[in-house]
Amino acid sequence: MPVVAPFSGDTRGVSDSSSNGSIVPFSPEAPNHSAVYALRHGLKPPIARLSISWSRGNTLRVSVLRQPSDDGEAGGRVVEVNLSNGDAEISDAQWRRIAYGSVTPFALLQSRRSSVSSLSKMSISPSHYHVDWWEYVMEYSKDIVSLLGHRKSPSGTVIEDPREIVKTVEEPTSLKAAWDLMEIFYADKQSQPWLPERLVDWLTDYDCLLSSTQTTVHSKLVGFQKELVSLQVIEDYPKYWEVISSALAIGWLELVVKMLRLHGSYELDQLGNRETENGLVEAVAVLISKMPRMRLELAEGKAGECFMAKPDFMKAWEKWRAQISKLDSSAYWVECDHLQTREGLKNMLQIMLGNTNSLSAATCHWVELYISHLLYIRPFTVGLESMNSLAQKCMQLKPMSSTHRLIELMVGILGENTEVVLAECSRAFGPWMVAHATELMTAGSDQAEVLLHEERDNLGEMSIAELHRLVYAQVLASHVLTWQIAPVYLISCMKQGMGLLELLLCKQPVQHNETLLKNIEICRLYDLDSVSSNIMKVAGVYHWKHGRKGAGVFWLQQARDEVRLNRIAKYLFDSVGKSISDESFKQWEGLIELLGSESKTAGGLDFLHKYRDFKKSLKQVQVGKTTDASRQAAESLISLMKNPSTPQQFWLPLLYDSLKLLNWQERPLLSVSQTNLLLNKLQELSMAKLRPDFIEVDLPPQALSSVRLALATNLGRAILEE
Amino acid sequence: MEKSLVDLENGTTCSSWNYSGQRLAAGSADGFLSIFDARDSASSSFTRSSKSRVHDTGIVKVVWIPPEYGDAVACVCADGTLSLWEEVVEDAQPLQWKLCKSFKSNSSQVLDVQFGVSLSGLKMVAAYSDGHIRVYELLDPLELKNWQLQIRNNLIPPRHAFLPLSLLYDFRFVLMATCIKLLETTNASLCLFFMRCPFEVWEFDQAHQRWLPVAELALPGNKGDQVYSVAWAPNIGRPYEVIAVATHKAIALWHLGLIPDTDGRLSVEQVALLSGHAGEMWQMEWDMSGMTLATSGSDGKVRLWQSNLNGVWHEQAALEPTT
């Protein structure tokens, strides 16, 4: 399936000026033809219609609808396509492991970036922090590399079987190779003086990957390994010498030494006759294992002698070469009877002396030739410019028959062409790579920093670095197991990250409490209050409408959704207000309790709480007897009617329900002022009736007049009593 | 790799996913509405949870209502009725899909409908065959029964109209494309077709509570083009909006500025003209970041369009359905 992460391919030629002299020509034009992918739906044609819908992240759902027919087959099928299936080399589970593992290093680096930038704003000497930045990036890079697999060197594996020269180990991934390459060139400032040697190591680790597109030294060695078992007199066999010089050319020294020791002259029964020959073989082997290397360190078991400083190395290098020349012109060669050995060893000496023809003959790929040049001709090569010109020369000498994504990447890096590197990262290694590798690139050069962090009108004012993080976040959002880590990348995007994060969160389902709580937690983490209240609102409505009234009210309260809570309160008034004896009162009592507990969120609920108490006390009132209960009921009626939060539509039902209080036989329960208050409310009610928004209540037609009469009677009796 | 999610019944005419992609609503030619649900949030296996008869005639379009108003869909039927259906538990009854509201008119038919959430509540924009755009407002956020007609905009009084609609998600704008086809028969052997399509962007003026046209998306040469579909890209932080308008010629992508000039008009710029689908365009959908546009058309293909870093739009890939 296609990698259709946005902007996955054509990132070349971002700016005209920097593309001059680029290897990939600047092309503002879109590609003429796009890739066509088959979408298998398994339905019988004809297809009447296609309906499309985006799901999580980069997932597209296509409804394929057939013409109606009577053939008994399905009328259509919905097919889901994930447009961001990354590297086929790496399994989905492995990808998720990498995705999860890279979150912490990425987040740590971002927080360091922000603290460094805030420190540098305050500090007088910001350069102090600038100097240390690459060290942070290196730490980040090491963390990332450890996720991509362990370093396994397929060549120099010396193991028990003396005849096993190349051990078949688990293949390293191109992704790791690419990351290592970028680390070498961009992030690892400490190793800059030893760049050629780091490249030698890189090829040692990854030459096997290049075999996928063409012959390499590694593939030759693997081929020879198979033949080795059946060979009797190894030194008679031309391929032995061919392979051995190839391995020497690219610096697999310990392997070469090991292979030399397979030479027949080492056999105990041969030693006597072939003393000189064996001496020569051993002399070459010793010279090889003494080769001076300008590098920081040499791993244990590696051949060569390590020099860190250039002057020391120079001295040793000259001495070593003098020894080779001396051996080359020695008289012992004449005494060597074995032709193949003589010529093979002589050729090896030529390789070590840096004979261009010998190097070219021994290597397969231009990168191998390049490495051999760095090893034997120009070990002091420094600076990308000279490294690049050497690479160009090697490419001319050994033109590529086919391309490999790692080589394309290397060409971009050597050409100091940030756009090409970015495009290659994106095209060949996918959104994860480009989102994470931009950190290496920006550490590498100011030009890359500007290019990647500059705001662009074409991109809606965001930078390229931000764009790639958005793209990667969208890929993460495509999967139910990875969407939770997308926010880490989105919040690092100043311009549009928050917008996408909000959308992403709003698209998460609310039905399951677990996901809902996770969503809310993410909102809390990033101060997305409005999103979180919207999510809770959706959850509240969902539960309310699906019969879980309590959960509905709870979430709406959490969302502080006054409008809907008031509406629910009103709904409850209607249910509760019908009659005291109504069963619905009991049904809603629990809900009112819940609503009442946090009545501050909705004014109307405060009323409902009081209303329930009033209804309860009214129930306890026994007709005819003046008790505390009846007095209390009258008091709550007055307090309810006084309370401004009591909805107008409830005034009349309240009074109508209280008729027995108003018509109290024994003595009037309400004072003159209390009765006047109620009469005024009644008056206000008749005025309100004229307004268009007046809500008519469901009461018997004589309700108003009977309330009025009761109040008038009560007033009269109260006046007399007072 | 493609994965099959749902098998639809014979006669299915339209389908629509809800906000989270967990529910699918499908309408059929015999007027049935089917709902398919995922078993759980991680599952990609969907089963039908409900099937109900919506109307005597076929359903031509199903649209989900925004989730803060419940699990509900609007069905546009072939005879031009519009009905709103909601999944609810009422009183002691089990969970079921119920009709909340039906919009019927003798004189005109509903052709398209869209929903948008504004600060004041849920709005529904419906396009009618008489050339009217009607904007309704929901009165009660918990009941989908009560709608109030907010505006009725008479675009052109034609005899036959086709109106694709698109709303911006926050309901600041509504985009209406009217494509009017007038058929005038002067005699039995001669038919004249007259088509025109101004596609306009309208904005709701909160201060005066009215709708105003703020931009027109058409080049002078394209005024007569037939519009198949319009789609508004989600805006996650761009200083401009991106709108795709598909005509019978090509897909035009427009940038719409957000700062009005002194006349209250918004600047527009056509940034791309994409051709690929031969024939009619069926549908256009933007992904959540607004960076990829997916389109489907009568050539039977799904095409994906993207811009490069220079702002040049191109076809990134095409999906061709095969058995």
Side-chain angles (χ1 to χ4, degrees), chain A residues 108-172:
Chain A
L108 178 67
L109 192 69
Q110 298 312 314
S111 79
R112 280 179 168 167
R113 184 192 294 282
S114 60
S115 61
V116 163
S117 76
S118 60
L119 271 175
S120 67
K121 268 175 208 154
M122 294 187 295
S123 167
I124 306 155
S125 58
S127 58
H128 170 67
Y129 299 98
H130 190 71
V131 169
D132 294 334
W133 179 246
W134 70 265
E135 288 180 19
Y136 290 144
V137 177
M138 261 318 270
E139 199 181 310
Y140 160 79
S141 179
K142 292 287 172 226
D143 288 343
I144 297 283
V145 151
S146 69
L147 295 166
L148 303 179
H150 302 288
R151 183 178 285 260
K152 276 177 187 162
S153 174
S155 60
T157 350
V158 184
I159 52 135
E160 289 70 29
D161 184 357
R163 290 218 142 203
E164 187 169 24
I165 49 169
V166 182
K167 195 193 171 196
T168 332
V169 288
E170 197 188 328
E171 284 237 326

Side-chain angles (χ1 to χ4, degrees), chain A residues 450-480:
Chain A
V450 169
L451 186 86
L452 288 166
H453 285 154
E454 181 185 43
E455 287 178 6
R456 283 161 196 281
D457 289 342
N458 284 331
L459 304 178
E461 292 185 355
M462 64 176 166
S463 67
I464 294 180
E466 177 169 341
L467 171 89
H468 286 297
R469 281 182 204 161
L470 286 184
V471 170
Y472 176 58
Q474 221 172 329
V475 171
L476 289 175
S478 305
H479 201 282
V480 69

